[in-house]
Amino acid sequence: MTQRADRAGGSGPYGGPVAVTGLGVVTPAGSDERAFWAGLCEGRSVARRRPELAGAPVDFTCAVDDLDVDALVGGRSVWRMARFVKLALIAARQAVSDAGHDPLAWDGGRVAVVLGVGVGGVSVLVDNALKMRADGPQSVSPALVPMMIPNAAAGEVAIALGAKGPSLAPATACASGATAISVARDLLVTGQCDVAVAGGAESVLTPLVVTAFARMGALSTRKGDPAVASRPFASDRDGFVIGEGAATVVLEREADARARGRAPRALLAGAGSSTDAHHPTAPSPDGRGAQAAVEAALRDADWSPYDVAHVNAHGTSTPLNDAMEATLIGRVFPHRPPVTAPKGVVGHTLAAAGAIDAVATVLTLEHGLIPPIANLDAPAVEFDLDCVVKEGRRQRVETAISHSFGFGGHNVALAFRRV
C-alpha cells in the first residue's frame, strides 16, 4: 500500500488525509457507542414483534427501545421534530462531543452538516392524513411540513450545532448514510469546510411502510422467531428485517485535528460511488456496478485489492443482494479477507445503514475485533467468503472497506485505515 497524502485526502491546498475524530450512534442494539459495540460483538439479533404491527404481513422489526428520545433531545423545539430527526440529533451530539468540539466555540461558518435520508417523516405524514380525513383540515399540524421533509434532520442538526457551512441531505436510499460521508469528505478536501458532521438517520416503522416493504417481497417472513430472521449470506435467507436508527461521524483534515491536539480515531482514505442503471429495486446480478464503486474507492485510497484486510458488507439478508455482493467480494478480493455484516444484529436501518456500518468499521479497526454475523453458521455453499460467524474474531485490521447499496442502483464504498 502506497501511503500518499494527496491520494488519502485529495490534492490541492486542502489536501491530506481526512480523519474521523468523533462517532455517534443510536441503534436497536445500543444507543451509544459502547452499547452498540457490545451488542454487535455479541452477535445476536434484536428483532422483536411490535404490537402496533399486529395484523400486518410482517409484525416484527428492530427498534430503538432503550431510551426516552424526547427527554434526551430536550428543549422546547422537540415537538416540531419527527422521530428520525430526533435520532439524528442525538447521534450528532454524541459525535461532536466525542470529537472534543464545543459548538459554542467553533467557527460555525466552517462547519458542514451532511445527513443522508431515505424516506423522511412519513409517520407524521400518515398520522396527519388520518386526522384530516377524520376531523377536517383544522386537525392538521402547522408543523407538518418541517416535520416530514427529508432535509429536516440536516436542518435541525445545523440549527442545534450552529453549523452555518454547507448543509445537505443526500437521498440514495439505503446507501444514503455512506453517500453523506463521501460528500462530506469532498467538502473538506475542496476547502468548503473545516469540520463536517456526516451520517444518516431513518425511522419508518409504521404499519404502512412495513407493509409496503413486505408487499414488494423485501422483508423476511420468519414470524415464528423474529430473532433468527435476519441472516446475511445464509443459504436460507429470505429477506431483511427493517430497523431504525442514526449514526454520524465527525470528519476533519488530519492536520487540523492534530493541530488542536486531537488524535484521529481512523482515517477515511478513499470513497467511491457508482450506479447500476439496471432496475429500480434489484441490484445488477453480476455486481459490476457495485464493483465500480469499490474499485473507485481503492483508487482514491491508492490501494490494491490485496491491501484490504476486512470487508464490512452491506449484507441485507435478501436473496438477490447477498448473491450479488458475494460475487463482487469473491471477484475483487481473491485473498478472501474476513467479512462481517451488522444487519444480522441491528436489522436494515435503511438510510442510516451506511453510516452505522461506517461506525462499525472504525470500531473494528480500533479494537482489533471483527464482530460475527448473527444467525450464520456458514455462508451459502456457492459463496466463496470468509464470513466471521458465531463469535468475534481477534485480528489486527489495518485497512477495511465498507459497502453500501440502495434501491435505484446506488453503490457506495468507503475505505478506512487504522491510525
Side-chain angles (χ1 to χ4, degrees):
M1 179 170 58
T2 304
Q3 303 289 339
R4 283 170 46 191
D6 63 327
R7 296 296 296 176
S11 58
Y14 297 98
V18 168
V20 179
T21 56
L23 302 177
V25 64
V26 181
T27 79
S31 295
D32 57 37
E33 177 190 321
R34 182 174 303 211
F36 165 65
W37 182 243
L40 203 60
C41 292
E42 187 178 359
R44 293 185 182 181
S45 171
V46 296
R48 60 181 66 92
R49 290 187 176 85
R50 307 286 296 180
E52 63 269 29
L53 296 177
V58 172
D59 62 358
F60 56 92
T61 67
C62 291
V64 176
D65 287 330
D66 65 339
L67 79 167
D68 184 335
V69 173
D70 285 355
L72 201 53
V73 170
R76 290 182 295 177
S77 61
V78 69
W79 66 273
R80 74 186 184 204
M81 300 179 190
R83 183 172 172 84
F84 82 103
V85 176
K86 297 171 187 176
L87 297 178
L89 184 55
I90 294 168
R93 286 173 174 169
Q94 289 178 6
V96 170
S97 175
D98 182 46
H101 279 296
D102 179 1
L104 296 177
W106 63 18
D107 178 0
R110 298 296 299 168
V111 179
V113 174
V114 191
L115 289 175
V117 63
V119 181
V122 67
S123 61
V124 294
L125 176 61
V126 171
D127 289 346
N128 278 267
L130 293 175
K131 289 178 181 177
M132 181 173 177
R133 184 171 184 176
D135 302 321
Q138 293 305 311
S139 65
V140 175
S141 170
L144 174 58
V145 171
M147 291 175 78
M148 74 177 184
I149 53 178
N151 63 308
E156 290 283 7
V157 168
I159 292 169
L161 299 180
K164 299 180 180 180
S167 178
L168 305 171
T172 53
C174 302
S176 298
T179 297
I181 293 171
S182 177
V183 169
R185 178 175 174 273
D186 290 344
L187 294 176
L188 281 164
V189 302
T190 55
Q192 297 182 63
C193 66
D194 296 325
V195 178
V197 179
E202 197 86 271
S203 180
V204 291
L205 304 185
T206 68
L208 177 64
V209 175
V210 173
T211 298
F213 276 108
R215 291 281 293 156
M216 69 182 296
L219 301 185
S220 172
T221 58
R222 294 177 187 271
K223 292 186 177 181
D225 187 357
V228 301
S230 184
R231 41 203 312 113
F233 300 112
S235 60
D236 58 349
R237 66 197 185 279
D238 72 329
F240 67 78
V241 176
I242 192 168
E244 65 175 351
T248 59
V249 298
V250 172
L251 301 178
E252 306 172 61
R253 289 178 288 274
E254 183 186 15
D256 292 345
R258 293 194 183 278
R260 66 180 184 90
R262 204 73 182 183
R265 300 192 63 169
L267 298 180
L268 177 54
S273 300
S274 69
T275 307
D276 284 352
H278 169 72
H279 189 273
T281 58
S284 181
D286 63 9
R288 295 293 179 182
Q291 180 175 341
V294 172
E295 291 176 340
L298 294 175
R299 287 194 301 272
D300 195 27
D302 203 22
W303 297 355
S304 83
Y306 292 94
D307 290 321
V308 174
H310 165 55
V311 175
N312 187 301
H314 189 58
T316 58
S317 183
T318 58
L320 294 181
N321 178 86
D322 287 8
M324 177 280 290
E325 191 169 16
T327 298
L328 158 70
I329 294 171
R331 185 168 57 229
V332 177
F333 304 113
H335 57 299
R336 302 178 75 248
V339 174
T340 195
K343 293 178 184 64
V345 173
V346 301
H348 194 345
T349 56
L350 308 181
I356 290 173
D357 288 352
V359 169
T361 305
V362 170
L363 292 173
T364 293
L365 294 173
E366 283 190 332
H367 291 280
L369 177 64
I370 303 172
I373 300 174
N375 300 318
L376 183 66
D377 293 325
V381 294
E382 65 269 26
F383 299 161
D384 184 22
L385 299 177
D386 178 17
C387 289
V388 178
V389 301
K390 299 183 179 178
E391 62 181 16
R393 183 181 301 180
R394 286 284 175 190
Q395 178 176 324
R396 182 180 173 91
V397 179
E398 296 288 345
T399 56
I401 287 275
S402 182
H403 296 167
S404 296
F405 312 124
F407 285 174
H410 303 288
N411 308 303
V412 182
L414 302 175
F416 292 95
R417 177 160 61 86
R418 187 174 183 273
V419 180

